[in-house]
Amino acid sequence: QVRLKESGPRLVQPSQTLSVTCTVSGFSVTSYHVSWVRQPPGKGLEWVGAIWKGGSTDYNSALKSRLSISRDTSKNQVFLKMNSLQTDDTGTYYCAKHGRGSYDYWGQGVMVTVSS
Amino acid sequence: EIVLTQSPTTMAASPGEKVTITCRASSSVSYMYWYQQKSGASPKPWIYETSKLASGVPDRFSGSGSGTSYSFTISSMETEDAATYYCHQWSSTPFTFGSGTKLEIK
């Protein structure tokens, strides 16, 4: 059974670094790409970046300078790190598995608030 | 970056009514993808590769289009279809989403 679960802090102070972990089961991160998508409260979806099954990455150009996506294949985990957080980084962060032509499985998301 | 312009932003439909949502891309994309999201839940894949229904999606839903113009249709609105729908392209990075269409039941 495919599952993705995000974990991380619910509250981050401005200018600090966000670290979120996506733990997957039911598939290998070396066999499928994984993307991060975020959603500010009451707003739409924004693609953050992806780590391809081969290990390379692509990032949203607006976030690229602050963003790093990596993985631990032994633990089947994908990591998102974003530094210099601001209040408009507040939102729900999802990881999603790339499947047959779409993101076929999503995690439940982790709501992150950037506030002092 | 390919910008996806979705319309309308919000709409309400009566049960049995036909619903159409459009998504225009600023540059040509190979396919369009659509996701359904209900309040408090993660998005769900709904239509992939422009016109293929994701697993479990009723056949009253359909998608069509090519190049820069795509559409999403519900042939006969049902109460359970009330949700926000997003179009999405992953023809080129950065991948982008439309701003969403909030569909309500009248």
Side-chain angles (χ1 to χ4, degrees), chain A residues 35 37 39 43-47 52 58-61 94 98-104 106-109, chain B residues 1 33 35 37 40-45 47-49 52 54 86 88 90 93-99:
Chain A
S35 270
V37 176
Q39 184 170 36
K43 296 190 177 181
L45 302 169
E46 179 182 32
W47 181 74
W52 308 117
D58 264 300
Y59 300 134
N60 182 323
S61 51
Y94 298 99
H98 291 225
R100 187 183 167 191
S102 70
Y103 301 129
D104 54 359
W106 296 65
Q108 63 188 23
Chain B
E1 171 176 324
Y33 300 80
Y35 293 85
Q37 187 179 34
S42 303
K44 293 182 178 179
I47 292 177
Y48 66 98
E49 293 178 358
K52 299 176 182 177
Y86 295 92
H88 175 59
W90 64 5
T93 55
F95 302 149
T96 48
F97 289 90
S99 56

Side-chain angles (χ1 to χ4, degrees), chain B residues 21-77:
Chain B
I21 298 170
T22 63
C23 183
R24 296 194 183 278
S26 59
S27 298
S28 181
V29 298
S30 302
Y31 297 105
M32 193 60 69
Y33 300 80
W34 296 87
Y35 293 85
Q36 180 199 68
Q37 187 179 34
K38 294 193 174 182
S39 181
S42 303
K44 293 182 178 179
W46 216 247
I47 292 177
Y48 66 98
E49 293 178 358
T50 302
S51 60
K52 299 176 182 177
L53 301 184
S55 177
V57 175
D59 62 7
R60 61 180 177 274
F61 289 88
S62 64
S64 64
S66 64
T68 61
S69 183
Y70 294 84
S71 63
F72 170 100
T73 300
I74 307 173
S75 60
S76 177
M77 177 76 179

